[in-house]
Amino acid sequence: MATYLYKLGRFAFRRRHFVALLWVALLTLAGVGAASAPPAGNSSFSIPGTEAQRAFDLLEQRFPGMSADGATARVVFKAPEGQKMTDAGNKAAVEKTVKELGSGSEVASVADPYTGKAVSRDGTIAYASVKYKVSGMELEDSSRDALRESAGHARDAGLTVEIGGDALTTAPETGSSEVIGIAIAAVVLVITFGSLIAAGLPLLTAIIGVGIGVSAITALATPLDLGSTTSTLATMIGLAVGIDYALFIVSRYRAELAEGRDREEAAGRAVGTAGSAVVFAGLTVVIALVGLSVVNIPMLTKMGVAAAGTVAIAVLIALTMIPALLGYAGRTVKPAGEKSKLLGGGRAARKAGRPNMGTRWASFVVRRPVTVLLLGVVGLGAAAVPAASLELGLPDDGSQPVSTTQRRAYDLLSDGFGPGFNGPLMVVVDAKGSADKKAAFAKVGDEIKGLKDVVTVTPPAPNKAGDTAIITVVPKSQPSSATTEDLVHAIRGKSASIASATDAKLLVTGSTAMNIDVSQKLNDALLPYLALVVGLAFLLLIVVFRSILVPLKAALGFLLSVLAALGAVVAVFQWGWLSGLMNVEQTGPVMSMMPIFMVGVVFGLAMDYEVFLVTRMREAYVHGENPGQAVVTGFRYSARVVTAAAVIMIAVFSGFIGSSEAMIKMIGFGLAIAVFFDAFVVRMAIVPAVLALLGRRAWWLPAWLDRALPNVDVEGEGLRTDSDADGDRELVSA
């Protein structure tokens, strides 16, 4: 592989005009496609294979036009102090608002509080239920605006009005902190390279790559049903890996220049060696992201595939556009150790023989591997302790900040009607095969009334055909509680006896039941997903390192870092530690998709550092150094760059902590802290300690497996042979 990539790097350097024009054309084409694409709403949401989804699908068939999975809103009214909602003036204001709410083109129905018995016992709180024809993710902004305006008119009449429900779901906002993250990345690059031009190359190529990826997602949003979160994730991952991949190739290019090679040769060798590591590092990230499809949640699959496509673009740009831009930059990109006149007075490289910080640190670890290993493992173990208290769930209005109207509506309904009123369960009774359908409906209602934690069971509401009915159940406890989850399982547990007695089928759905099913589906998929992703990446790393123990050590180190990161997420978002610093207004259960998402993304990113750092060690070992010396050599050439890459990635991910969307905020924090643990504790401390303890055994591979594996030559051994044989590639004097 190194030889092919070497030729690609030299070609891109020589034909820089063609390569640059090609990428600019692709960016322009993607931009035009995004600009001309029809405005896309938010993506639809479905969870195949769950009982809640089967019930929604059945309702679509048996209750045509009902829009069972359509968005809902509850407009909650509270009378002024000392008044009742039944007072004439307040009632007139509410009825006017109900009339306004029903005028929207996407509105399916509006329930009047006074005819629907939606006034609290003390008469101070009432609510109007609004049902839409489309889901909250597909609702037009004009419908949301009309909803807010109607509430505003009621407020003008002196009522307290708040709005809850998924109809207010909007696209996440990342805020200015994302820009700050990119600015920090720019500063780190300038410090690393000592040159504005060299620092600008990774930023430029990363922005171009993300621009192509996000523009393509925008252009395909409508036909592929992609949501706004998809492009946010692609931006997050694409920026981080795009900067890092370019950083490694530019750094290797400068190292090759420092060894006396001409610029075209240095570009070819940088792509042949560091580029090989980029390819395999990118493959691990792509495997991890595409592997999210095993969960069988379409939204998660689309997010993973779109982000994987952006990573693939980042790899291709690093392999082609970086050497092309290096050709344009010419002598403004200095050899390693030299500073530009602007930043360093044009001083020469560091004196030979003077060890850098990476060399000194690696030498210390090689001398005291047991101490470093124990400290690293114990430290990560302590950080992982909160993960034992991990509680999973999906956010509802009760998890919103208290400053939002959704949360205030949630609290008003809890005060007026009880905590469970915010999470009613929808029980669907399919009596098509029953001889006495009405008796089957009544039987189900009676069975549910006898269960614990039930406040209200509404009479069955059959469809026109009379073969299917809906029964609404209001629990005593709040939607996200374990008690409500137990009630859902208890109702479903009655299905067998109901079927035996009446030949009717019972299904439980609604937003609360859907959240429970999603959480269970994600939990069930975690271990198979972990086995698939880690297994494939393990095989890939065996090919890269031609070792059994090095990939095994890489996988175990990843597990330590991801557990520690989950512990940090629990401490901040569930326990509330440092919540003020992170602007977390409301603590609660960690989102169900967080563990499986972190496993996928963090594993891919963790393998980046493993490949970049350990490849240099193996390169030194293959070229004749003993294991301890190889560890030190790997750090001498890679530690500074890996450190810079980690800081950049942490800065980019931290930028998303400023998002208004709880999911994006949590993902940004989780990935940032995971990269910190993995790069600075696992890869910089535990990895060299383990390799020092293993010695030559670290690079052991059974002879039969060595013969069976393809030789991908990540170390660039073939380039060294070719250079010796080809006169026009001789080293030139510095």
Side-chain angles (χ1 to χ4, degrees), residues 245-521:
Y245 294 165
L247 167 65
F248 282 107
I249 291 180
V250 173
S251 177
R252 186 60 182 256
Y253 171 77
R254 296 177 72 233
E256 296 293 337
L257 289 179
E259 292 184 9
R261 293 185 172 89
D262 65 35
R263 295 186 178 276
E264 183 177 331
E265 177 70 12
R269 285 179 172 270
V271 175
T273 52
S276 297
V278 165
V279 169
F280 282 99
L283 277 175
T284 59
V285 180
V286 168
I287 287 172
L289 290 170
V290 174
L292 290 170
S293 59
V294 303
V295 184
N296 196 26
I297 295 179
M299 183 185 73
L300 198 59
T301 299
K302 293 170 185 176
M303 289 171 62
V305 171
T310 307
V311 171
I313 292 171
V315 171
L316 292 174
I317 283 184
L319 298 178
T320 57
M321 194 170 186
I322 281 293
L325 293 179
L326 289 172
Y328 284 118
R331 296 185 179 277
T332 58
V333 177
K334 305 293 184 182
E338 290 188 18
K339 304 290 184 181
S340 67
K341 291 183 178 180
L342 177 63
L343 298 174
R347 66 176 181 267
R350 177 194 302 268
K351 292 181 180 180
R354 182 182 175 187
N356 59 20
M357 186 175 294
T359 302
R360 295 195 297 271
W361 169 250
S363 299
F364 170 79
V365 175
V366 170
R367 290 196 305 271
R368 294 176 175 81
V370 175
T371 302
V372 173
L373 179 61
L374 288 177
L375 287 175
V377 172
V378 170
L380 290 179
V385 168
S389 303
L390 178 67
E391 296 178 7
L392 298 176
L394 288 177
D396 56 19
D397 286 348
S399 62
Q400 296 276 359
V402 293
S403 59
T404 62
T405 185
Q406 296 99 315
R407 174 59 186 274
R408 292 195 294 267
Y410 182 97
D411 292 339
L412 284 176
L413 289 172
S414 295
D415 294 341
F417 302 92
F421 193 79
N422 283 291
L425 306 176
M426 185 184 296
V427 179
V428 182
V429 185
D430 180 6
K432 196 169 186 177
S434 178
D436 189 344
K437 297 175 176 53
K438 290 184 178 180
F441 299 153
K443 172 73 172 174
V444 172
D446 293 340
E447 290 284 342
I448 295 174
K449 288 177 183 178
L451 296 174
K452 294 180 181 179
D453 197 47
V454 173
V455 173
T456 304
V457 178
T458 65
N463 61 350
K464 289 184 179 180
D467 59 3
T468 308
I470 299 173
I471 299 174
T472 301
V473 180
V474 178
K476 289 181 182 178
S477 52
Q478 62 185 13
S480 59
S481 68
T483 307
T484 300
E485 183 175 348
D486 292 341
L487 175 61
V488 170
H489 292 314
I491 295 174
R492 288 172 172 170
K494 296 288 184 180
S495 58
S497 61
I498 293 294
S500 176
T502 65
D503 292 324
K505 299 177 183 178
L506 180 154
L507 300 169
V508 183
T509 189
S511 59
T512 300
M514 180 66 83
N515 288 352
I516 291 170
D517 287 352
V518 170
S519 297
Q520 187 62 50
K521 190 177 183 70

Side-chain angles (χ1 to χ4, degrees), residues 229 233 236 299-300 303 395 591 593-594 597 656 659-669:
T229 307
L233 176 64
M236 184 189 301
M299 183 185 73
L300 198 59
M303 289 171 62
M591 279 178 293
M593 67 175 60
M594 192 65 189
F597 188 82
F656 290 85
S659 173
S660 61
E661 176 70 27
M663 174 181 172
I664 300 299
K665 181 188 292 287
M666 192 178 293
I667 288 174
F669 172 80

Side-chain angles (χ1 to χ4, degrees), residues 55-120:
F56 276 134
D57 295 340
L58 180 64
L59 289 173
E60 288 290 341
Q61 297 173 10
R62 305 288 174 84
F63 291 82
M66 176 185 174
S67 301
D69 60 347
T72 59
R74 280 176 171 172
V75 182
V76 187
F77 308 90
K78 183 178 181 181
E81 190 69 28
Q83 298 182 25
K84 302 282 189 182
M85 288 305 305
T86 51
D87 294 346
N90 295 335
K91 186 175 181 180
V94 171
E95 289 176 340
K96 181 180 179 182
T97 301
V98 169
K99 185 177 180 180
E100 291 178 357
L101 290 170
S103 61
S105 60
E106 292 184 314
V107 175
S109 63
V110 180
D112 188 296
Y114 302 102
T115 59
K117 298 180 180 180
V119 180
S120 63

Side-chain angles (χ1 to χ4, degrees), residues 120 156 174 188 270 274 316 342 444 466 499 523 529 579 592 621 638 641 644 664 700:
S120 63
D156 294 340
T174 54
V188 173
L316 292 174
L342 177 63
V444 172
N523 290 340
Y529 173 69
S579 57
S592 301
Y621 179 76
S638 301
V641 181
I664 300 299
W700 171 80

